[in-house]
Amino acid sequence: MSTDEDAPDWVTLGREETVVWSDHPSLYLVKRWLVVAAVAIVLGLIGATFLPPDWRLLGWLAVVAGVGVAAAAYVKTRTITYVVTTEKAYKKTGLLNKHQNTVRLERVQTVSLAQSLLQRPANCGELTLDTAGNDVPEIVFDCVREPERVNGLISDATGAKSGTRATSV
């Protein structure tokens, strides 16, 4: 179990409440943007090296654009925070427009884990917390690192039925 120091400043813990788990999504969440960034950087460096001097600026602009895309992708993952305490689960998203979703663990009936074929080697997956009376999931944690371990932690904290399903790419 974690202590008060492990809780983000936007989470207020009750008297007996402790943080069970807290993390951000894996970079797998933005894998496509990271590929775009890598391609732009590589092509930009090639262009900056081999293009005629009058055109080399174009190569450097591609490098800068690639670095910008990679930075934006990284920021996207860092502006999503997942927290599970002994009493509640939280998902906070956004940098400028912030959104926080909270569910009391006593309401959670099922914790489901889904991993695509490509997520397995990256050791990440999607955890879904379902509550009674809702047709849509209450909270979805995308691209969670070590999803089996986190699924167990949440299931232990909720006493919910744990489910695992594998999904295709």
Side-chain angles (χ1 to χ4, degrees):
M1 293 288 173
S2 302
T3 62
D4 262 356
E5 294 83 36
D6 295 329
D9 58 352
W10 51 270
V11 173
T12 304
L13 298 177
R15 264 180 112 109
E16 300 295 318
E17 190 175 11
T18 58
V19 174
V20 175
W21 171 77
S22 177
D23 203 358
H24 299 279
S26 164
L27 285 175
Y28 184 86
L29 181 67
V30 291
K31 64 188 174 301
R32 290 178 183 99
W33 289 110
L34 293 176
V35 169
V36 168
V39 168
I41 291 169
V42 168
L43 291 178
L45 288 174
I46 290 170
T49 305
F50 296 110
L51 285 175
D54 293 345
W55 291 89
R56 288 189 181 156
L57 179 61
L58 189 62
W60 289 114
L61 289 175
V63 170
V64 169
V67 169
V69 168
Y74 178 76
V75 167
K76 178 175 176 51
T77 63
R78 303 314 289 175
T79 59
I80 301 172
T81 305
Y82 309 133
V83 178
V84 176
T85 70
T86 51
E87 295 180 16
K88 297 176 186 171
Y90 303 87
K91 178 180 180 179
K92 184 176 181 185
T93 59
L95 181 62
L96 300 176
N97 296 324
K98 297 186 183 237
H99 177 75
Q100 181 178 320
N101 192 1
T102 305
V103 65
R104 296 190 64 74
L105 293 182
E106 64 195 23
R107 294 186 54 227
V108 174
Q109 288 189 326
T110 307
V111 181
S112 301
L113 164 62
Q115 277 187 302
S116 71
L117 184 63
L118 294 176
Q119 285 176 323
R120 288 176 187 257
N123 195 20
C124 67
E126 177 182 281
L127 289 173
T128 305
L129 282 62
D130 293 309
T131 59
N134 279 344
D135 292 337
V136 294
E138 193 71 36
I139 292 184
V140 177
F141 294 150
D142 296 309
C143 291
V144 173
R145 290 182 272 253
E146 300 180 32
E148 292 90 3
R149 182 182 72 80
V150 177
N151 185 24
L153 290 172
I154 295 172
S155 295
D156 290 347
T158 63
K161 296 172 280 193
S162 174
T164 302
R165 70 185 194 320
T167 58
S168 61
V169 181

